[in-house]
Amino acid sequence: MATFSAENALELRSNLLAAAMQCSERCLYQSAKWAAELSSSLANIPEDPDTDVDLPVEEAEKHSAPFVTVSPMNLDPTEARLEAQEQHKYLLAKSYFDCREYERCAAVFLPSARGPSPTAPPDVSKTSPFKLAKGKSKDIRHNPSNAPKNVLPNLSQKSLFLALYARYMAGEKRKIEDTEMVLGPLDNGAVVNKELIGIAASLEWWFNNRYKRSISGGWLEHLYGIVLVQNKNEEEAKRWLIRSVNACPFNWGAWTQLGSLVGSVDDLRKIVPELGQNIMTAIFSLWVNQELYQTTDEIDTLLLQLLGIFPESSFLKTQQAQLYHHAKDDERAEAVYSDILYKDPYRLDHLDHYSNLLYVMGLRPKLAFLAQVASATDKFRPETCCIVGNYYAMKSEHEKAVNYFRRALTLDRNCHSAWILMGHEYIELKNTHAAIESYRRAVDVNRRDYRAWNGLGLTYELLEMHLYALFYFQRAASLKPYDPKMWQAVGSSYEAIGRPTESIKAYKRALIAGTDFESANNTSSFGSGAMGGGDQPSGVMDPEILIRIAHLCVSLKDLASAKRFMELTVNQEEGLVGGDDDEEPVPSGGGVGVTTTTSKARMWLAKYAFKYRDYDKALELAEQLCQDGFDVEEAKALIRDIRSRKEMERAIRG
């Protein structure tokens, strides 16, 4: 990233402030807040001496810093004229929207919104490409015959967006009312926003009739992208959202909507060339990579560069904490979250992630303090409910935890973290049906979160439906391929359905994910011959996985491989790696010490040596078992058998 000067900082602040004002005018308050917070976190902004009350006026004017000019006015003269004419109606409609009177807001600009709506004529379902969303996407601008005639009055883009967005919000409000209680009989995903078809028809008519005559601000494209996402037409939604972010790059809501459609790193690589080369594309890439659990050096470098420009950005610091957490550096992640909370104690955004981290780390006092702070700030925020729910979950009060997660979902049905956490609590309560439904709803909201897929796999594993469990574990492993637990779960499912060869391959992938390798960016595909002479681990491996592989080799009658993995299991006591064939094992640092698992492997090796008449090796291993304190009686019996066999052979030879 190029050097960022004070002039660049002033220009960027001006753009961010203009975007915040434009988003606020269109009632996109989360996007407005995001842009305003980012503008306040900029570095290299010269301080204005006018703010120093002790400085004389003449001196302040002499050394005055450059002003940040904000010009949210529309550059299109036609649009500017329409906005001026509609100013009184716009202020009335916006006041209705702010009071959550959405239908009344829409009716200001679209008076016949009730009854036979001009934005949803009777024959629109037959002509609109919106209904053809799932297979054949069409460029509606090249199909003017598809759009109904004279649908919309002559409105500015700002007023039209506000009216149609109000209709969308009214439909969402009715949808929530119709679904009633969370996980109730009507909360099955079948209830839809009934305003979508009319909104789509209106937007299509505008794109067909006025798109080329106006300079688009990107706002209507954003709304159309939202509608297409709701209709599951993701490819077409990507196309319109890319248009939106290119026309209005500082509208963070459009970026997040576009990011929700990126399912993999490959998808991101395909999208980035179509985006403008600006700082928002860099922030978007960082956020999506974090959501996809990527922790490469390039992402770390990008984060540091962005923090150099926005050193006080709580959003970027949250991404930093999440990246630390994905890299299993929980202590540094906790320190970053703690710093964010200290500097802005009233900020609740993303604090539910902090509560998840504290739960995983077992820091109950800090979690209790966080719950108190959040409750004192706002009891009726989804983040607060998730934090308090995590606190009760840590106390094993699972019924109370479920109640708080349900409260979070009552406030926001799209809070995927609450769905996942509620699924975890239903597992603890042995309510597998409710757990499965919770995880499925989490997947519907955010299919990139491996926790929901893994939760479904664990639930079906509890129900001994291993084929179903295998499918969901594989999805979780594809989302987080560098987590050994994911591949271990895949291997366990393969083992349960009687496919030992695939199980061994999955367990080897778990070993690859759980240790450091000479090749940092291992791209071997699932089932490749890892651990068979290619990459060599440079860290301690999991003895449980090694002994499982050894037992599977025994079931395949591959005793040589079984012996090799049993020896690797024993070597993990001192952190030794290698030792295959003629190689000597070398220390890698650390070690797990003597455990039940390593003692079982040592016993197997002793019996193997005894079976093949290597009595000295068998005796050595059995004596080690007596010293370890595991399986002592069985080890002593084996020693007696070894000595009697040796005496018998000496007698025969004598």
Side-chain angles (χ1 to χ4, degrees):
M1 195 174 289
T3 305
F4 202 75
S5 63
E7 290 76 13
N8 298 137
L10 285 170
E11 181 183 359
L12 181 56
R13 173 168 283 184
S14 175
N15 290 331
L16 286 168
L17 291 176
M21 294 174 65
Q22 291 170 345
C23 290
S24 182
E25 287 175 349
R26 290 160 179 81
C27 300
L28 299 172
Y29 294 122
Q30 291 297 326
S31 298
K33 180 179 73 171
W34 186 91
E37 287 182 346
L38 202 64
S39 70
S40 299
S41 65
L42 269 167
N44 295 332
I45 297 290
E47 293 187 5
D48 192 350
D50 289 343
T51 60
D52 188 353
V53 295
D54 296 327
L55 197 67
V57 175
E58 297 79 6
E59 195 70 18
E61 292 177 351
K62 189 184 299 183
H63 299 93
S64 179
F67 289 103
V68 178
T69 57
V70 181
S71 55
M73 297 297 294
N74 203 310
L75 299 179
D76 187 340
T78 303
E79 287 293 316
R81 177 177 55 80
L82 288 173
E83 288 181 11
Q85 292 174 353
E86 300 160 356
Q87 184 68 10
H88 62 291
K89 285 188 175 182
Y90 163 76
L91 292 174
L92 177 64
K94 188 175 184 301
S95 65
Y96 290 153
F97 192 103
D98 292 340
C99 294
R100 300 186 180 182
E101 298 181 41
Y102 302 122
E103 292 179 332
R104 200 176 179 193
C105 170
V108 171
F109 293 110
L110 305 173
S112 54
R114 287 186 178 274
S117 170
T119 56
D123 60 343
V124 73
S125 61
K126 299 178 182 178
T127 61
S128 173
F130 179 73
K131 278 294 184 183
L132 303 175
K134 288 196 176 179
K136 304 174 182 177
S137 60
K138 298 183 179 181
D139 188 347
I140 57 177
R141 291 183 298 159
H142 293 86
N143 294 277
S145 61
N146 284 344
K149 306 298 182 183
N150 300 323
V151 171
L152 297 173
N154 192 23
L155 297 173
S156 66
Q157 294 181 43
K158 182 170 74 172
S159 298
L160 178 60
F161 178 92
L162 183 61
L164 294 179
Y165 186 53
R167 290 197 61 193
Y168 171 79
M169 293 300 295
E172 289 293 298
K173 182 180 177 182
R174 281 196 296 272
K175 183 174 77 170
I176 293 173
E177 292 170 353
D178 292 343
T179 54
E180 298 178 355
M181 61 180 294
V182 176
L183 291 184
L186 298 178
D187 189 19
N188 54 10
V191 181
V192 297
N193 186 336
K194 297 177 183 178
E195 299 289 341
L196 294 179
I197 294 177
I199 296 170
S202 299
L203 290 170
E204 288 160 8
W205 185 90
W206 190 89
F207 290 133
N208 284 319
N209 292 273
R210 298 181 185 168
Y211 191 79
K212 293 181 179 179
R213 300 204 305 259
S214 304
I215 299 175
S216 175
W219 305 99
L220 294 175
E221 289 89 339
H222 176 200
L223 183 57
Y224 192 48
I226 294 174
V227 172
L228 290 170
V229 169
Q230 293 269 357
N231 196 45
K232 309 298 183 185
N233 189 354
E234 295 187 357
E235 291 303 317
E236 191 73 4
K238 283 181 186 178
R239 190 164 69 89
W240 285 96
L241 288 169
I242 288 172
R243 290 184 184 181
S244 175
V245 297
N246 285 335
C248 184
F250 294 96
N251 175 16
W252 183 242
W255 288 103
T256 54
Q257 198 72 54
L258 178 61
S260 68
L261 303 176
V262 179
S264 66
V265 179
D266 291 336
D267 289 346
L268 179 62
R269 293 196 185 106
K270 292 176 184 176
I271 287 177
V272 167
E274 301 180 45
L275 304 174
Q277 299 304 308
N278 50 50
I279 197 167
M280 290 300 295
T281 301
I283 296 174
F284 172 74
S285 298
L286 172 70
W287 173 69
V288 173
N289 276 296
Q290 182 274 124
E291 290 287 307
L292 294 173
Y293 308 101
Q294 302 298 305
T295 55
T296 62
D297 292 338
E298 291 80 5
I299 297 169
D300 184 56
T301 302
L302 177 60
L303 174 63
L304 292 177
Q305 290 175 340
L306 290 172
L307 282 173
I309 299 172
F310 305 100
E312 299 301 322
S313 171
S314 297
F315 171 79
L316 290 177
K317 288 181 179 179
T318 300
Q319 304 310 304
Q320 184 182 39
Q322 286 297 99
L323 288 169
Y324 282 143
H325 179 50
H326 298 333
K328 301 179 183 178
D329 193 351
D330 289 345
E331 291 184 359
R332 293 178 72 180
E334 195 279 326
V336 173
Y337 273 125
S338 181
D339 180 65
I340 294 171
L341 183 63
Y342 174 77
K343 290 183 177 178
D344 194 352
Y346 299 106
R347 182 181 186 271
L348 296 179
D349 297 337
H350 305 110
L351 283 189
D352 52 326
H353 298 318
Y354 185 25
S355 71
N356 294 338
L357 178 64
L358 294 176
Y359 181 92
V360 171
M361 297 177 71
L363 300 177
R364 182 170 162 180
K366 284 193 173 183
L367 183 54
F369 173 74
L370 182 64
Q372 289 179 339
V373 170
S375 297
T377 303
D378 188 349
K379 289 183 178 181
F380 300 102
R381 276 279 294 270
E383 295 88 346
T384 300
C385 296
C386 288
I387 293 167
V388 178
N390 270 330
Y391 172 70
Y392 282 117
M394 181 173 278
K395 291 179 65 179
S396 297
E397 297 183 27
H398 303 297
E399 292 86 357
K400 285 186 177 180
V402 166
N403 288 336
Y404 274 95
F405 294 137
R406 291 174 73 94
R407 184 181 296 180
L409 292 167
T410 301
L411 295 167
D412 181 7
R413 294 293 173 95
N414 292 325
C415 183
H416 76 279
S417 183
W419 285 114
I420 294 171
L421 296 172
M422 189 165 70
H424 295 344
E425 295 309 300
Y426 278 128
I427 289 291
E428 295 291 337
L429 294 170
K430 303 295 187 288
N431 188 345
T432 54
H433 175 76
I436 288 172
E437 187 60 29
S438 298
Y439 290 134
R440 287 191 188 281
R441 294 295 295 274
V443 168
D444 291 340
V445 175
N446 183 4
R447 62 175 181 264
R448 297 174 306 185
D449 196 323
Y450 79 97
R451 296 176 298 168
W453 297 103
N454 189 55
L456 282 167
L458 290 171
T459 308
Y460 281 112
E461 190 176 51
L462 286 174
L463 296 172
E464 298 184 358
M465 301 172 69
H466 298 292
L467 280 173
Y468 284 89
L470 174 62
F471 171 78
Y472 292 115
F473 282 142
Q474 285 177 327
R475 293 297 300 267
S478 68
L479 289 168
K480 202 174 184 188
Y482 300 109
D483 190 334
K485 294 180 181 178
M486 302 299 105
W487 291 109
Q488 191 172 352
V490 172
S492 177
S493 295
Y494 272 126
E495 187 177 355
I497 63 176
R499 296 171 63 178
T501 304
E502 288 83 356
S503 180
I504 289 172
K505 293 176 182 178
Y507 283 138
K508 288 178 179 179
R509 283 296 301 267
L511 292 175
I512 292 173
T515 54
D516 297 325
F517 286 81
E518 293 176 357
S519 174
N521 297 319
N522 190 335
T523 56
S524 56
S525 61
F526 175 76
S528 63
M531 300 297 299
D535 296 319
Q536 291 298 322
S538 60
V540 178
M541 293 179 282
D542 189 344
E544 281 290 340
I545 299 176
L546 289 169
I547 201 169
R548 283 193 175 193
I549 296 174
H551 286 310
L552 288 167
C553 290
V554 171
S555 68
L556 293 172
K557 303 188 185 322
D558 185 0
L559 295 181
S561 296
K563 177 176 177 290
R564 181 162 60 90
F565 280 101
M566 287 295 184
E567 289 172 346
L568 279 172
T569 305
V570 174
N571 289 342
Q572 301 319 299
E573 291 180 348
E574 298 178 5
L576 301 178
V577 298
D580 296 345
D581 302 328
D582 298 329
E583 297 179 3
E584 289 293 327
V586 295
S588 64
V592 299
V594 178
T595 65
T596 305
T597 301
T598 59
S599 296
K600 288 179 180 178
R602 185 175 279 109
M603 176 62 75
W604 188 93
L605 288 169
K607 291 180 178 179
Y608 180 87
F610 177 74
K611 179 180 179 180
Y612 289 94
R613 298 185 177 182
D614 188 354
Y615 300 124
D616 293 336
K617 182 67 173 178
L619 184 61
E620 178 187 353
L621 291 168
E623 289 175 346
Q624 289 175 2
L625 280 167
C626 293
Q627 296 173 1
D628 294 344
F630 293 96
D631 299 324
V632 175
E633 294 302 323
E634 189 176 359
K636 288 180 178 179
L638 182 59
I639 290 172
R640 288 194 295 270
D641 290 342
I642 293 170
R643 287 172 178 170
S644 63
R645 184 67 63 87
K646 291 175 72 173
E647 290 175 0
M648 185 184 301
E649 289 191 356
R650 279 198 298 268
I652 292 172
R653 284 196 296 269

